[in-house]
């Protein structure tokens, strides 16, 4: 991966993190105020779901940042990379579950059924993304194994007299 690509991705991640902090500091309190007419538990639930959803995005962004750092250093093909990949998978799964919870909470109310279905479908897409990252984790495992094998073969060649 080129240096320009890493820099651009880091800029995008930084902007996304700043935006998510703005959502947590400004938008969520405004949502709380806007839902002032609703019952207290409904307000707590909706604002909590939104806050947790933003939190999953922040966790995802930080882990991708850390993986980009490993790419830049040339140490992505190491066992320590799996820690970040596992956290990314967990964050995406949590986001999917939060989306399904939101759909379930909106279903019995006056929310249009099509909107509830779209929200539930977004949860399915998120679950699919988690599965995609699981596949990519398996590819990383294969790459690490091939890298170790190549190092072993190079070491054997270095020790042999031709």
């Amino acid at each position: 991966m080129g240096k320009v690509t890493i820099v651009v991705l880091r800029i995008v991640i930084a902007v996304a993190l700043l935006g998510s902090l703005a959502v947590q500091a400004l938008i969520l309190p405004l949502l709380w105020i806007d839902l002032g007419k609703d019952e207290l538990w409904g307000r707590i639930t909706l604002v909590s779901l939104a806050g947790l959803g933003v939190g999953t995005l922040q966790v995802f962004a930080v882990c991708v940042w850390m993986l980009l750092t490993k790419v830049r250093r040339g140490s992505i093909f190491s066992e320590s990379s799996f820690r970040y990949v596992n956290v990314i998978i967990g964050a995406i799964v949590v986001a999917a579950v939060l989306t399904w919870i939101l759909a379930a909470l909106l279903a019995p109310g006056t929310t249009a059924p099509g909107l509830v279905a779209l929200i539930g479908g977004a949860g399915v897409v998120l679950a699919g993304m988690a599965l995609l990252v699981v596949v990519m984790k398996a590819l990383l495992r294969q790459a690490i194994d091939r890298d170790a094998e190549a190092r072993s073969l190079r070491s054997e060649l270095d020790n042999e007299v031709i």
Side-chain angles (χ1 to χ4, degrees):
M1 186 177 299
K3 289 182 181 182
V4 173
T5 306
I6 291 173
V7 169
V8 170
L9 281 171
R10 284 191 169 181
I11 290 170
V12 169
I13 291 170
V15 169
L17 283 172
L18 287 174
S20 69
L21 290 173
V23 167
Q24 287 176 324
L26 302 171
I27 304 300
L28 291 181
L30 292 174
L31 177 63
W32 178 267
I33 292 167
D34 192 44
L35 295 173
K37 300 172 194 162
D38 296 339
E39 67 177 59
L40 180 62
W41 288 111
R43 290 169 64 188
I44 291 171
T45 303
L46 288 176
V47 173
S48 297
L49 284 174
L52 290 171
V54 171
T56 61
L57 294 173
Q58 291 170 333
V59 168
F60 179 91
V62 168
C63 288
V64 171
W65 186 285
M66 298 305 293
L67 288 172
L68 285 173
T69 300
K70 293 178 86 48
V71 168
R72 185 177 49 84
R73 292 181 183 156
S75 62
I76 190 70
F77 296 118
S78 65
E79 294 293 324
S80 63
S81 298
F82 288 108
R83 175 179 37 183
Y84 301 115
V85 175
N86 289 335
V87 173
I88 287 171
I89 293 167
I92 297 171
V93 168
V94 168
V97 170
L98 291 172
T99 306
W100 289 325
I101 290 171
L102 177 61
L105 290 173
L106 293 175
T110 59
T111 306
L115 180 60
V116 173
L118 283 172
I119 294 170
V124 172
V125 170
L126 285 167
M129 288 175 57
L131 290 174
L132 176 63
V133 176
V134 169
V135 170
M136 294 173 70
K137 178 182 170 185
L139 293 173
L140 178 62
R141 166 63 60 205
Q142 288 179 355
I144 290 172
D145 292 345
R146 297 299 176 266
D147 188 52
E149 184 180 344
R151 286 182 191 177
S152 173
L153 291 173
R154 272 189 229 116
S155 174
E156 286 181 23
L157 284 174
D158 289 344
N159 293 332
E160 295 293 324
V161 177
I162 297 179

